[in-house]
Amino acid sequence: MAAWARAVRGLLLDVSGVLYDSGGDGGVPIAGSVEAVRRIKASGLKLRFCTNETQATREKFVKKLQGMGFDISVAEVTAPAPAACLILKERSLRPHLLVHNDLVPEFAEIDKANPNCVVIGDAAENFTYANLNEAFRVLIGMEKPVLISLGRGRYYKETDGLKLDVGAYMKALEYACDVQAEVVGKPAKMFFESALAEMGVPPQQAIMIGDDIVNDVGGAQRCGMRALQVRTGKYRPCDENHPHVKPDAYVNNLAEAVDIILQQL
């Protein structure tokens, strides 16, 4: 049997590209993923959903997944926006938000008057020249600009194909303002450590399952976890020749990974 599947107490699952493919119609579950989540929960393994989703609040995001048949609750989701809010409060930062309209309620309790930083997420259609330029002006006007990014993904998959992700726009602001963004979300080490702490599982006994070779797999491995890449979502065959990141295994989909892991219990 697969050595990578042994001595596992907890699983961290990426969502988009692993559980479902998103899209303008709400998206569709990936074959076998609803049942795979049910089997994980029935097995007694600890489970955490780790997503860089920033186009909706956790409540709205979870409601959509529940509508697809997934057994998931808000309390089981580790997401960038709540983590960013903690940072903003701790550092007395007042953000200019360049995010999706549906994510704005996550920042309802944050003071946004007279901004002294910029928070950028996957704003989708809000990534207009005017909006990017407004964020640029906020940053360039600061002596020590602070740019917080809710992830750094290059692209993701929807039902009608690949879409540019927040990382591309983050890099534009970094270049224009000569600033390095602080990334909240995958692949940040703190993000994975938070999910592990919430499960109460050490990294050596956890496996991350994702479709992003760098942010999911590479990020988890740097925290001491094992990590699998599924051949769904944004996966491309060239990922298997990545010069720096080598997953502990490739699996065709979440259902296959769960089959192998549960056989070891």
Side-chain angles (χ1 to χ4, degrees):
M1 299 301 293
W4 57 261
R6 294 174 185 159
V8 178
R9 289 180 51 212
L11 298 179
L12 289 76
L13 305 184
D14 180 30
V15 178
S16 178
V18 174
L19 301 188
Y20 82 115
D21 283 326
S22 59
D25 54 355
V28 295
I30 293 170
S33 59
V34 171
E35 177 65 12
V37 170
R38 187 198 65 76
R39 292 179 66 203
I40 293 168
K41 292 198 168 185
S43 74
L45 287 171
K46 298 290 184 68
L47 178 61
R48 198 77 192 163
F49 300 93
C50 294
T51 179
N52 274 2
E53 168 64 42
T54 57
Q55 287 195 11
T57 62
R58 283 177 300 166
E59 288 77 8
K60 186 173 181 179
F61 180 56
V62 164
K63 186 175 181 181
K64 178 175 75 171
L65 290 170
Q66 290 172 340
M68 296 181 188
F70 288 102
D71 181 1
I72 181 174
S73 68
V74 172
E76 296 172 309
V77 176
T78 301
C85 286
L86 289 176
I87 292 172
L88 294 169
K89 290 178 180 178
E90 288 171 358
R91 292 164 56 182
S92 298
L93 292 171
R94 303 178 303 277
H96 169 84
L97 298 176
L98 179 50
V99 300
H100 196 282
N101 290 341
D102 289 344
L103 190 70
V104 172
E106 289 274 19
F107 297 88
E109 297 182 4
I110 301 297
D111 182 5
K112 295 178 279 292
N114 190 23
N116 58 2
C117 73
V118 167
V119 172
I120 183 173
D122 180 12
E125 285 75 14
N126 281 351
F127 278 136
T128 63
Y129 175 81
N131 288 342
L132 279 164
N133 198 55
E134 187 177 1
F136 159 75
R137 286 177 170 174
V138 171
L139 289 169
I140 206 70
M142 299 178 192
E143 183 178 349
K144 294 182 178 180
V146 176
L147 174 61
I148 296 174
S149 185
L150 306 180
R152 68 175 193 194
R154 294 181 297 162
Y155 54 85
Y156 57 93
K157 184 184 178 184
E158 290 196 340
T159 50
D160 62 347
L162 298 177
K163 301 292 179 71
L164 276 177
D165 204 351
V166 61
Y169 303 95
M170 177 196 83
K171 286 294 184 182
L173 290 175
E174 283 186 330
Y175 177 71
C177 302
D178 193 22
V179 61
Q180 184 169 347
E182 301 175 35
V183 177
V184 179
K186 298 175 291 185
K189 188 176 182 181
M190 185 182 299
F191 186 82
F192 287 107
E193 289 174 342
S194 174
L196 289 168
E198 287 158 352
M199 290 196 302
V201 174
Q204 298 81 4
Q205 296 180 340
I207 294 178
M208 173 73 198
I209 303 174
D211 67 330
D212 189 311
I213 186 71
V214 173
N215 294 325
D216 294 334
V217 175
Q221 289 178 331
R222 284 194 296 275
C223 287
M225 284 185 274
R226 286 161 278 176
L228 313 182
Q229 187 179 20
V230 292
R231 295 188 176 101
T232 56
K234 69 168 67 172
Y235 163 85
R236 294 189 299 164
C238 64
D239 290 344
E240 302 197 20
N241 297 313
H242 194 279
H244 306 300
V245 182
K246 305 296 178 187
D248 290 88
Y250 294 94
V251 289
N252 288 322
N253 49 45
L254 176 62
E256 181 180 298
V258 171
D259 280 342
I260 297 170
I261 291 167
L262 295 188
Q263 287 172 20
Q264 298 279 5
L265 296 181

